[in-house]
Amino acid sequence: MLQPSWKVNEIFYSIQGEGKHTGMPAVFVRLAGCSMNCPFCDTKYAAREGNQTDGPTLLQELSAWPAKAVIITGGEPSEQDLPALIALLKDAGYQVHLETNGSIDTDVSRADFICVSPKKYVSSEMLKKADVIKIVVGQDTDLKDLEKYYAYENAKTQIYLQPESNKQENIDLCVKLLKNHPSARLSLQTHKLANIR
Ligand code: SF4
């Protein structure tokens, strides 16, 4: 049987810089490819470039670091065989966190933590599966969409507002929005502020 493999842009060991698990050391597996093409994307380099990597090679690379937490990110991970990747990592004993735009409803039931960051379109099924809905807020954000996402807030699902590119005007906008919706939280990209790779 053909073994699954994934087009991987990069694998690196760092610190989670944003959201609920800010400060957590983890290995990042950045999958290549995303068809969304957001103008503010800060990982455009991952849109196409990557090396096809099979499971044993991936696990061998991960074993170089002591952390047992892996953050699958992209690109957009759900554009590849994400359930098989999550299964590979879980079977190898890793805690698996997922960062996705939620555009494709896929089986992520074995992931330990799911962060959905909606962009041009998002699956309502994926919003229901999210532990965190992270909304990137900039001057062009349609604020009517916030109400739509707030509807998915519950005991399991926390909303985070993240200022686009840490720009001051976007931070100010987030603070204003949060004061009107105090159950949400602010997420800053602290890795950029602290110059952490
Ligand atoms: S969905 Fe994410 S990875 Fe894809 S283009 Fe937009 S910001 Fe970049």
Side-chain angles (χ1 to χ4, degrees), residues 129-140:
K129 295 173 190 175
D131 296 290
V132 158
I133 298 173
K134 183 179 71 188
I135 305 161
V136 177
V137 176
Q139 301 303 304
D140 297 334

Side-chain angles (χ1 to χ4, degrees), residues 33-44 74-76 101 117 119:
C34 178
S35 52
M36 201 67 86
N37 201 23
C38 306
F40 54 80
C41 181
D42 56 6
T43 56
K44 283 188 195 296
E76 175 42 49
N101 62 26
S117 185
K119 299 298 185 311

Side-chain angles (χ1 to χ4, degrees), residues 83 86-92 96 107-114:
I86 295 171
L88 174 85
L89 297 170
K90 288 301 297 175
D91 290 347
V96 177
D107 180 6
V108 291
S109 54
R110 290 193 67 194
D112 297 283
F113 179 79
I114 299 158

Side-chain angles (χ1 to χ4, degrees), residues 43-108:
T43 56
K44 283 188 195 296
Y45 58 89
R48 272 176 289 280
E49 289 154 28
N51 294 318
Q52 206 64 33
T53 307
D54 62 18
T57 306
L58 189 59
L59 293 178
Q60 177 66 32
E61 289 202 38
L62 294 179
S63 69
W65 296 291
K68 292 302 281 181
V70 172
I71 298 173
I72 303 172
T73 186
E76 175 42 49
S78 62
E79 294 185 13
Q80 300 193 49
D81 189 347
L82 183 55
L85 178 57
I86 295 171
L88 174 85
L89 297 170
K90 288 301 297 175
D91 290 347
Y94 286 96
Q95 187 185 357
V96 177
H97 290 213
L98 171 66
E99 306 264 352
T100 174
N101 62 26
S103 56
I104 299 170
D105 182 17
T106 190
D107 180 6
V108 291

Side-chain angles (χ1 to χ4, degrees), residues 16 18-22 113 131-132 156 158 160 187:
Q16 171 60 290
E18 55 194 53
K20 193 168 187 172
H21 294 283
T22 295
F113 179 79
D131 296 290
V132 158
K156 165 181 143 70
Q158 173 74 57
Y160 277 80
S187 170

